[in-house]
Amino acid sequence: MSLLEIKNLEIRFNTDAGVVHAVNGINLTIEEGESFGLVGETGAGKTTTALAILNLLQSPPAEIVSGEIIYKGQDILKLSKNKLRELRGEEISMIFQDPMTSLNPVMTIGEQIMEAVKYHSGKSAADAQLRMLEMLEKVRIPAERSYDYPHQFSGGMKQRVVIAEALAANPALLLADEPTTALDVTIQAQVLDMISSLQKENKTAMLLITHDLGVVAETCKRAAIMYAGEIVEMGTVEQIFDDTAHPYTKGLFNSIPSLDKKTDRLMPIRGLMPDPMDLPKGCKFCPRCPYADELCITECPPVKDLGDGHLCKCHHADKGAPLYFPDEKGNELAYEHGLPVSNPGNDFLGKGDGPDGE
């Protein structure tokens, strides 16, 4: 049995302006001790999914329309408030994006870590203090700084404090919501190494939410690509990187500079993510995809298993042709002006404007 299983989760926000469809029927599983990456643009629904796992969404306006979040055999969405309090921190813990808003400005960092330990483990004040000092040592913060307040720490050190607090009660699952977003590259690497080492030491499973595919490659075993509230591709990191199947995922990789390939100009994904209050009827990536046809416009694609658990939500994912963004000069110019593009994928399918597709 998986440690965490999300089944057909659908979440919307009912606002005065309209209904925001934030998460649209996602499914994923996380095994004990596994590192799982969730990648996507801002607004894809990543943080909303993480908050739903802890049942922390404010309602109203949030509404969980359907689905289940099964943790160790029990549906989190059906737990009482008291059971949820016991679950949060002790079983499932979260590292939030901004450490400054996660820490209490009028309590010392030592008091905040001790509070979490005492509440979830029932330890005495003396034992809780020992655990607090142990956690500070693990995140490389001197013990004497336990009497300092959050404003006396740098951004990187505040994030270390949040990590210490999140792992103090030895949770089975850690939700890390873009834990390095506000940090410079050097500190990012240190924080990620620290999270990984503590995770392995405590045998904690982790859901890592990030924009950075490089972070996923270094940290995770499996990953899912999220777009407009849907998981469009999921598999092992090797499958996602080496056998990329979804046009959106390919677009993300084409937007990253390569050290091996000389490129005059990167190929960005044109357009913007669709308005979650007015999503396309068919494939959500359809308005930005150079391979979209009438089927993509009218029908939502099914999830296809490409083998060994590599899943892709695309009508053309199993056609046997490599789908990728055009990289030839003529195609580049046409692509920039929103004109039909000739490429091996479309030509193979008979949907291109090249000589083989006419």
Side-chain angles (χ1 to χ4, degrees), residues 319-339:
K319 293 290 196 300
L323 295 179
Y324 53 84
F325 278 78
D327 55 5
E328 295 178 5
K329 287 293 179 183
N331 287 339
E332 212 171 290
L333 186 62
Y335 180 65
E336 286 175 7
H337 290 83
L339 300 174

Side-chain angles (χ1 to χ4, degrees), residues 9-59:
L9 182 65
E10 183 178 349
I11 303 169
R12 67 188 181 196
F13 291 87
N14 301 303
T15 70
D16 293 338
V19 178
V20 177
H21 298 275
V23 177
N24 303 303
I26 69 167
N27 297 275
L28 65 84
T29 59
I30 299 177
E31 307 299 330
E32 290 187 14
E34 181 185 28
S35 297
F36 189 98
L38 191 58
V39 184
E41 296 177 60
T42 298
K46 307 182 300 298
T47 298
T48 300
T49 301
L51 292 174
I53 293 172
L54 284 173
N55 212 338
L56 285 175
L57 292 170
Q58 184 176 343
S59 179

Side-chain angles (χ1 to χ4, degrees), residues 32 35 44 62 81 98 125 136 153 160 190 210 214 221 258 263 281 284 333 335:
E32 290 187 14
S35 297
K81 289 185 178 180
D98 185 358
L136 287 180
F153 291 83
R160 294 185 195 186
Q190 294 175 5
T210 181
K221 295 291 185 184
S258 172
T263 307
K281 179 182 177 182
K284 305 302 181 286
L333 186 62
Y335 180 65

